[in-house]
Amino acid sequence: MDYEKLVAEMRRLALEAGDKIMEIYGQDDFEVKSKSDDSPVTAADEAADAIISEGLRAAFPDVMLVTEEQAATHTVKGDTFLIVDPLDGTKEFVHRRGDFTVNIALVEGGVPTRGVVYAPAKSRMFFTQADGQSVEETGAFAKGQLGETKAISVSNPDNTALMVVASKSHRDQATDDYIGKYGVRDMTSAGSSLKFCLVATGEADLYPRLGRTMEWDTAAGHAVLNGAGGAVVRFDDLTPLAYGKEDFANPFFIAHAPGVELKAG
């Protein structure tokens, strides 16, 4: 894989998809439909998916592609593939809360190795460089030219005073009970894959997810966290979260800075 080309394409496509999403976000009204699992989908999901999937297929025709909005891609098998969630946090989008992201990642051998997470309404972009190091880009986000970037890395946490990030839309008692096992200084909430990025930048130490997610929800954020020195493990046995699973469904997981002393579930 030509990582330089991959990172440039992922970044550009995320920006183009973000523009289309914000165009629809700015409208007075947009249709919200329900998918077979009752999750919402909008014209923004579908338009962003078309931009990204067409771009990736043109640039990398020989690489398997999995994308949330194309059910036909959910039956492919393999451990090396591109994976896309064109609009993660559709509920945040519908309720105009801004915490939604564009997610594109490369999984190699079951491990997310390169990825981009772009939050267009918050003007934040995180991605892995060709060398695997994660950065946050600041500035104008020009499509043809990389702006100023800064390397990001996970915190060196104080286990008596952790910063925990949890979901805005999916918080439950089981999650609160698990968080209660730690010495917590403060908690913050965020939508979509931004939670991984808050751990990657050191703004949070721990993100436990005791709820259903799919690989396209997590791969890009997982790649960014990996490239910042963090890790994502299964909740049940604390082994690394792997990709290319049956139906692309994830078990419960914990994203964390390696200095966090993880508790059993």
Side-chain angles (χ1 to χ4, degrees), residues 224-256:
V224 168
L225 182 53
N226 280 349
V232 184
V233 297
R234 295 174 59 107
F235 184 79
D236 53 6
D237 60 10
L238 304 185
T239 59
L241 181 66
Y243 288 71
K245 300 182 291 297
E246 188 73 27
D247 300 328
F248 299 98
N250 287 326
F252 297 172
F253 63 80
I254 306 164
H256 65 101

Side-chain angles (χ1 to χ4, degrees), residues 24-48:
I24 296 169
Y25 190 63
Q27 295 173 1
D28 291 337
D29 193 26
F30 46 77
E31 183 183 7
V32 181
K33 296 179 285 189
S34 291
K35 292 193 279 195
S36 57
D37 62 357
D38 288 333
S39 61
V41 63
T42 70
D45 297 77
E46 294 165 346

Side-chain angles (χ1 to χ4, degrees), residues 2-245:
D2 181 342
Y3 294 127
E4 294 281 358
K5 178 183 177 184
L6 174 69
V7 170
E9 286 293 318
M10 288 198 303
R11 177 186 171 278
R12 180 182 64 81
L13 291 168
L15 288 169
E16 288 184 4
D19 283 352
K20 176 56 73 172
I21 288 167
M22 292 307 292
E23 178 187 315
I24 296 169
Y25 190 63
Q27 295 173 1
D28 291 337
D29 193 26
F30 46 77
E31 183 183 7
V32 181
K33 296 179 285 189
S34 291
K35 292 193 279 195
S36 57
D37 62 357
D38 288 333
S39 61
V41 63
T42 70
D45 297 77
E46 294 165 346
D49 181 69
I51 289 167
I52 296 167
S53 60
E54 287 168 16
L56 290 175
R57 286 186 173 117
F60 307 103
D62 300 325
V63 182
M64 191 170 102
L65 176 66
V66 179
T67 171
E68 177 180 14
E69 302 307 331
Q70 297 177 37
T73 69
H74 302 174
T75 58
V76 297
K77 305 289 184 198
D79 66 359
T80 297
F81 49 90
L82 291 160
I83 186 163
V84 175
D85 187 345
L87 176 51
D88 184 31
T90 302
K91 288 179 182 174
E92 307 293 329
F93 178 88
V94 170
H95 296 298
R96 301 185 187 275
R97 287 196 289 250
D99 273 19
F100 48 84
T101 53
V102 179
N103 298 269
I104 310 171
L106 172 68
V107 172
E108 295 180 288
V111 179
T113 62
R114 302 293 184 281
V116 58
V117 174
Y118 177 41
K122 292 193 168 292
S123 297
R124 295 195 80 175
M125 171 175 271
F126 309 87
F127 62 89
T128 50
Q129 299 179 128
D131 64 2
Q133 166 68 48
S134 291
V135 296
E136 180 172 3
E137 181 176 350
T138 57
F141 301 130
K143 293 177 186 62
Q145 183 177 355
L146 183 62
E148 190 173 322
T149 61
K150 60 179 181 183
I152 57 176
S153 64
V154 295
S155 64
N156 182 17
D158 175 353
N159 280 281
T160 67
L162 296 175
M163 173 63 84
V164 178
V165 62
S167 173
K168 273 187 176 172
S169 302
H170 301 281
R171 191 78 175 274
D172 59 12
Q173 190 60 49
T175 303
D176 287 343
D177 290 346
Y178 180 69
I179 291 169
K181 298 183 177 193
Y182 292 86
V184 176
R185 169 173 58 91
D186 203 359
M187 290 192 58
T188 186
S189 64
S192 69
S193 55
L194 282 171
K195 293 182 284 291
F196 291 98
C197 299
L198 295 181
V199 180
T201 61
E203 293 169 68
D205 307 307
L206 179 69
Y207 160 38
R209 180 58 186 265
L210 281 66
R212 176 179 170 81
T213 59
M214 305 300 287
E215 292 184 11
W216 45 78
D217 296 316
T218 60
H222 189 164
V224 168
L225 182 53
N226 280 349
V232 184
V233 297
R234 295 174 59 107
F235 184 79
D236 53 6
D237 60 10
L238 304 185
T239 59
L241 181 66
Y243 288 71
K245 300 182 291 297

